[in-house]
Amino acid sequence: MAGRTATVFSEEEPSSAAVGAGAQGRPVTLPTARPGFRAAALEPPRRALAAALRGLVALVYPPVCVACRAATGEAQALCAHCWGEIGFIERPYCERLGTPFAVDLGPGLLSPAAIADPPVFSRARAVCRFEGVARELVHRLKYGDRAELTLTLGRMMAQAGHELIAEADLVASVPLHRTRLWRRRFNQAALLAGTVARLAALPHEPALLARVRRTRQQVGLSRSQRADNLQGAFRVPESARRLVEGRRVLLVDDVLTTGATVNAAARILLRAGARQVDVLTFARVVTDA
């Protein structure tokens, strides 16, 4: 796909704007210590040392593709083959739901689904379709204890959701019920939200939403059944209401299927006083019907 590379850069880069800059490799001469010497002067040699250490680690543990384990040039990256297997979602798409259009009919168009049944949230964006390599990555993250994948997926999400990030005041995530969190040991949505928030230099509020009712698994339920299943499932704790009021919230999850979960969560945030709720996921289910 034009304009994309298969590299996902390492955690040490300070922001999405710095991705791809890399170390320059120039020799650095330390100034003589003196009163008022600024700590910032130590930054270039620290970067050089960090780059050298990463190079040493790469010699001992060569980087591999996070999907197929083939050799790659960078850690936490996809190989060219796996990158090409991901169905990235780019414009033209519905500006409300983020679902792709087969034909570009001009900017600002809404899909029939967004017109017939408008969501509670303002906009949704996703990196790719929930299929093939993308589905495998999500399953490894959720069920295979591959929490380190949140770095790779989160960086891709930050790029896909840059328009939403530019308008957001804070980042939150769709919570798990405590019993499910206990079994899984981590909330993949919260880890993804943390990566996105770090890259965007936005506050991350993992406790902004609480899941107060244990719901059935959504898999296999119809759209209406999913909505009924989520009635009363979320709330904003009293201690978090001051963080919500008047704020534009970027709500993060791993996969968007029918939108019932993020719709229910967005409704509670808006009732608590949020000014706007946008949704960012790694993948989304896309039907061709």
Side-chain angles (χ1 to χ4, degrees):
M1 187 177 62
R4 289 188 179 269
T5 70
T7 301
V8 181
F9 290 88
S10 60
E11 177 73 342
E12 287 74 15
E13 293 297 331
S15 70
S16 57
V19 168
Q24 298 301 314
R26 296 172 181 169
V28 176
T29 302
L30 285 175
T32 304
R34 62 184 183 276
F37 174 66
R38 298 176 66 87
L42 292 174
E43 196 60 26
R46 284 175 180 166
R47 287 176 179 269
L49 178 59
L53 290 174
R54 290 196 299 270
L56 181 60
V57 170
L59 287 175
V60 181
Y61 303 103
V64 296
C65 174
V66 295
C68 72
R69 313 301 292 175
T72 59
E74 296 282 347
Q76 293 295 328
L78 291 165
C79 68
H81 173 76
C82 289
W83 185 270
E85 292 296 310
I86 292 182
F88 290 101
I89 296 176
E90 293 185 324
R91 283 190 170 88
Y93 51 61
C94 171
E95 293 298 322
R96 193 78 187 271
L97 297 177
T99 48
F101 291 137
V103 179
D104 189 353
L105 299 176
L109 288 181
L110 300 181
S111 63
I115 296 172
D117 187 17
V120 174
F121 54 82
S122 295
R123 296 168 294 178
R125 298 289 183 267
V127 174
C128 57
R129 295 169 179 256
F130 185 54
E131 59 189 21
V133 170
R135 181 194 295 268
E136 181 64 24
L137 288 172
V138 170
H139 284 179
R140 289 182 187 180
L141 169 61
K142 292 176 71 169
Y143 310 119
D145 286 340
R146 294 285 303 279
E148 76 279 3
L149 288 175
T150 56
L151 174 60
T152 306
L153 307 191
R155 286 183 176 275
M156 297 167 75
M157 291 169 64
Q159 293 177 7
H162 67 276
E163 292 177 319
L164 309 187
I165 288 171
E167 297 181 11
D169 294 315
L170 57 89
V171 181
S173 54
V174 174
L176 292 176
H177 189 267
R178 61 181 181 275
T179 56
R180 191 162 295 160
L181 179 61
W182 181 81
R183 289 201 309 269
R184 194 174 293 170
R185 298 193 298 278
F186 65 88
N187 179 4
Q188 72 282 351
L191 295 180
L192 290 168
T195 298
V196 171
R198 285 195 302 274
L199 292 171
L202 287 172
H204 176 212
E205 302 294 344
L208 200 68
L209 272 172
R211 198 158 192 151
V212 295
R213 187 171 69 81
R214 184 178 177 182
T215 56
R216 297 165 54 194
Q217 288 280 3
Q218 295 279 76
V219 177
L221 300 182
S222 67
R223 181 182 293 271
S224 60
Q225 288 172 330
R226 286 171 180 257
D228 291 341
N229 187 40
L230 290 161
Q231 285 291 331
F234 301 107
R235 72 177 175 87
V236 174
E238 287 298 324
S239 59
R241 287 185 175 270
R242 62 180 179 80
L243 301 174
V244 177
E245 293 178 353
R247 313 295 287 280
R248 293 169 295 189
V249 179
L250 180 62
L251 184 63
V252 170
D253 205 356
D254 55 348
V255 180
L256 192 154
T257 307
T258 64
T261 299
V262 291
N263 225 32
R267 181 177 289 108
I268 297 303
L269 288 169
L270 291 169
R271 286 177 180 173
R275 176 179 171 187
Q276 177 176 306
V277 179
D278 289 319
V279 174
L280 179 61
T281 64
F282 171 68
R284 69 162 299 137
V285 173
V286 177
T287 59
D288 294 326

